[in-house]
Amino acid sequence: MAISFTEENYLKVIHRLSEATSEDISTNAVAELMQTKAASVTDMLRKLAEKGWVNYQKYQGVRLSAEGEKIALSIVRKHRLWEVFLVDKMGFNWDEVHEIAEQLEHIESDQLVNKLDEYLGFPKTDPHGDPIPNKDGVLPELAYSHLSDIKAAKTCKLMGVAQDSAVFLQLLTKLNLSLGAKLDIQEINEFDRSIFVSINDAAPIFISHEVAKNILVKI
Amino acid sequence: MAISFTEENYLKVIHRLSEATSEDISTNAVAELMQTKAASVTDMLRKLAEKGWVNYQKYQGVRLSAEGEKIALSIVRKHRLWEVFLVDKMGFNWDEVHEIAEQLEHIESDQLVNKLDEYLGFPKTDPHGDPIPNKDGVLPELAYSHLSDIKAAKTCKLMGVAQDSAVFLQLLTKLNLSLGAKLDIQEINEFDRSIFVSINDAAPIFISHEVAKNILVKI
DNA sequence: TTTATTTTTTAGGTTAATCTAAAAATTATT
DNA sequence: AATAATTTTTAGATTAACCTAAAAAATAAA
Ligand SMILES: [Mn+2]
Ligand SMILES: [Mn+2]
Ligand SMILES: [Mn+2]
Ligand SMILES: [Mn+2]
């Protein structure tokens, strides 16, 4: 069955919201991420249910069906592989690739995706540390912690970010924070939950709780 | 001003038709290449004229404006660069890339196109021998002849094809005809205009006029 | 130079994806 | 349990891109 870019984007958004919770996804939550109105979402959910890609009962919220999940994962796979391509092969910075990948993720050719995967050396993660589903839609499980959840001074390694926005990524770059960076947590301040941390053995600096929430680390 | 995929495809088609003639382009000609109906074309031409991308007076046919020409060339540039990428980097055959490039040509990022161009080594032609417009929309002039127009036995080199269709390209591959092939024309048969030709010094074979019409050579 | 044929445009509809405003259902608060 | 607030759905429009059928204009043929 033919699928439109818009339908693909809806499935991707429902998938993203579903990763954070086991509850059904609300119309409003979808509307916010899709940057559209709830009324439009209701229309689309009816259509997606019709096509068998989501389970939806009015007023009850929505979940992806098995088939919908498969489609969503294939879009995520394409998005992340293209991001790797843009950074590794085209020389873009990690804060410049998300918007372009939003377009490239809709290119339809299984052959191309698999050749691209091979060309890139079957990467496990994208430039933001997010896992890349394999050909069969299986996501490698990466058990990372949010830097903001760490309770005591210890050493950890920056493995990913929880946000792709350019402003956030540019701030990290300014702080000399990139994938693989070594973080020696010196102190966690109770007052504003800021973290005093040494990055790659440099003199320690303060990182706000807001930033720490969006940094994923391996302990 | 925002442009849709459909509008881009119309401009590309008008551009393609304009290369073959200096006359205005007819509604029907556009309809045929766009695989749509003349009535739909009329609607679109009005809209494109409105946006300043074509000059159009009803019943008089259509031509690209300077701005329309610029847009069309940028799409052609993207199409052909992506085709080079697919063949040179992804390992596709020349008969497999056109459809995928039809999608990729709509990806919007000047930065990406220019980085891709550099990554590919600033190619002058695509995998079918078609010239690639540079950053400023300038097309390298390649003065090739149609094999079918050659009148006497002589030696020439295959430089391009006048058609991107998979069936045609696959036939050429079967005949051992690829870009750069050396053609020693032995004889031109008056009866069916077939050509008896040796390819890369192999035993000569017959090539139909229909095939010869779509082969571009340098003498 | 009429008449016939072909081409192009207009008129009126359809579908996908969106919107605003109003109604209905659900959830939260007295 | 009744009322208030919030969420979600429906109703009715809009826009882009398409369609068919009919009318109008241009071109070709008699
Ligand atoms: Mn991204
Ligand atoms: Mn990413
Ligand atoms: Mn092509
Ligand atoms: Mn080509």
Side-chain angles (χ1 to χ4, degrees), chain B residues 79-80 83 94 97-99 101-102 105 126 128 130 164:
Chain B
H79 182 104
R80 292 180 182 168
E83 283 189 345
W94 69 343
V97 297
H98 181 74
E99 291 309 312
E102 285 290 312
E105 71 190 5
D126 81 0
H128 314 103
D130 293 309
D164 274 5

Side-chain angles (χ1 to χ4, degrees), chain B residues 68-99:
Chain B
E69 174 89 8
K70 216 182 95 191
I71 296 169
L73 280 167
S74 94
I75 300 161
V76 168
R77 170 169 160 82
K78 286 188 279 180
H79 182 104
R80 292 180 182 168
L81 283 174
W82 280 115
E83 283 189 345
V84 173
F85 169 77
L86 292 170
V87 168
D88 287 8
K89 304 293 183 183
M90 294 291 103
F92 279 98
N93 300 318
W94 69 343
D95 59 293
E96 302 175 308
V97 297
H98 181 74
E99 291 309 312

Side-chain angles (χ1 to χ4, degrees), chain B residues 4 6 36-37 39-40 43 47 59:
Chain B
S4 70
T6 306
T36 185
K37 296 298 152 79
S40 307
D43 281 353
K47 191 166 62 149
Y59 294 106

Side-chain angles (χ1 to χ4, degrees), chain A:
Chain A
M1 198 178 303
I3 188 167
S4 70
F5 284 18
T6 306
E7 290 168 337
E8 290 190 342
N9 284 332
Y10 269 93
L11 293 178
K12 198 179 54 160
V13 156
I14 297 166
H15 177 263
R16 189 144 119 60
L17 291 166
S18 301
E19 282 184 320
T21 174
S22 58
E23 317 258 296
D24 289 3
I25 305 306
S26 74
T27 300
N28 267 350
V30 173
E32 189 179 348
L33 273 197
M34 282 297 298
Q35 310 209 79
T36 186
K37 296 298 153 78
S40 308
V41 174
T42 300
D43 281 353
M44 181 56 81
L45 295 184
R46 277 242 256 80
K47 192 166 63 149
L48 295 176
E50 194 69 40
K51 293 197 172 191
W53 297 330
V54 302
N55 297 110
Y56 166 68
Q57 312 260 100
K58 59 161 118 162
Y59 295 106
Q60 301 310 125
V62 67
R63 319 202 62 170
L64 291 176
S65 69
E67 209 192 332
E69 174 89 9
K70 217 182 95 194
I71 296 169
L73 280 167
S74 94
I75 300 161
V76 168
R77 171 169 160 80
K78 286 188 278 181
H79 182 103
R80 292 179 182 168
L81 283 174
W82 280 116
E83 283 189 344
V84 173
F85 169 77
L86 292 170
V87 169
D88 287 8
K89 303 294 182 181
M90 294 291 103
F92 280 97
N93 300 319
W94 70 341
D95 59 293
E96 301 175 309
V97 297
H98 181 74
E99 290 310 312
I100 305 177
E102 285 291 314
Q103 301 178 59
L104 286 165
E105 71 189 6
H106 301 293
I107 301 295
E108 205 181 341
S109 167
D110 287 349
Q111 242 201 311
L112 171 57
V113 179
N114 294 331
K115 279 174 185 279
L116 183 65
D117 195 12
E118 185 186 350
Y119 186 65
L120 300 172
F122 304 105
K124 294 276 165 299
T125 58
D126 81 0
H128 312 104
D130 292 309
I132 300 177
N134 73 9
K135 200 193 274 241
D136 305 311
V138 178
L139 266 174
E141 265 308 322
L142 310 170
Y144 299 146
S145 315
H146 292 257
L147 178 57
S148 53
D149 290 339
I150 293 185
K151 297 302 172 212
K154 63 178 65 165
T155 297
C156 53
K157 196 169 161 192
L158 199 163
M159 300 305 289
V161 292
Q163 213 195 108
D164 274 3
S165 82
V167 274
F168 173 63
L169 296 172
Q170 282 159 13
L171 172 57
L172 292 197
T173 302
K174 243 181 278 173
L175 297 173
N176 206 30
L177 281 169
S178 58
L179 247 51
K182 179 182 158 206
L183 303 181
D184 286 306
I185 301 175
Q186 311 289 320
E187 212 176 342
I188 301 164
N189 298 294
E190 207 184 325
F191 176 67
D192 62 355
R193 302 214 267 169
S194 69
I195 297 172
F196 193 54
V197 62
S198 160
I199 298 161
N200 292 326
D201 300 314
I205 57 166
F206 288 98
I207 287 182
S208 72
H209 177 66
E210 197 56 35
V211 165
K213 272 199 298 187
N214 287 292
I215 290 177
L216 302 174
V217 297
K218 190 167 71 180
I219 302 157

Side-chain angles (χ1 to χ4, degrees), chain B residues 8-192:
Chain B
E8 291 191 342
N9 285 332
Y10 269 93
L11 294 178
K12 197 180 54 162
V13 155
I14 297 166
H15 178 263
R16 189 145 119 57
L17 290 165
S18 301
E19 282 184 318
T21 174
S22 58
E23 317 257 295
D24 289 3
I25 305 307
S26 74
T27 300
N28 267 349
V30 174
E32 190 179 347
L33 273 196
M34 282 298 297
Q35 310 210 79
T36 185
K37 296 298 152 79
S40 307
V41 174
T42 300
D43 281 353
M44 182 56 81
L45 295 184
R46 278 243 256 76
K47 191 166 62 149
L48 295 176
E50 194 69 38
K51 294 196 174 193
W53 297 329
V54 301
N55 298 112
Y56 166 68
Q57 313 259 102
K58 57 162 125 163
Y59 294 106
Q60 301 310 124
V62 68
R63 321 201 61 169
L64 291 176
S65 69
E67 209 193 332
E69 174 89 8
K70 216 182 95 191
I71 296 169
L73 280 167
S74 94
I75 300 161
V76 168
R77 170 169 160 82
K78 286 188 279 180
H79 182 104
R80 292 180 182 168
L81 283 174
W82 280 115
E83 283 189 345
V84 173
F85 169 77
L86 292 170
V87 168
D88 287 8
K89 304 293 183 183
M90 294 291 103
F92 279 98
N93 300 318
W94 69 343
D95 59 293
E96 302 175 308
V97 297
H98 181 74
E99 291 309 312
I100 304 177
E102 285 290 312
Q103 299 178 60
L104 287 165
E105 71 190 5
H106 302 293
I107 301 295
E108 205 181 343
S109 167
D110 288 348
Q111 242 202 311
L112 171 57
V113 179
N114 294 331
K115 279 173 185 278
L116 183 65
D117 195 12
E118 184 186 352
Y119 185 65
L120 300 172
F122 303 104
K124 294 274 167 300
T125 58
D126 81 0
H128 314 103
D130 293 309
I132 300 177
N134 73 10
K135 200 191 275 239
D136 305 311
V138 178
L139 265 174
E141 264 309 320
L142 309 171
Y144 298 145
S145 315
H146 291 257
L147 178 58
S148 53
D149 290 339
I150 293 184
K151 297 301 173 216
K154 63 178 64 162
T155 297
C156 53
K157 196 168 160 193
L158 199 163
M159 300 304 290
V161 293
Q163 213 195 108
D164 274 5
S165 81
V167 274
F168 173 63
L169 295 172
Q170 282 159 14
L171 172 57
L172 292 196
T173 302
K174 243 182 277 172
L175 297 173
N176 206 29
L177 282 169
S178 58
L179 247 53
K182 179 182 157 206
L183 303 181
D184 286 306
I185 300 175
Q186 311 289 319
E187 213 176 339
I188 302 164
N189 298 293
E190 207 184 323
F191 177 68
D192 62 353

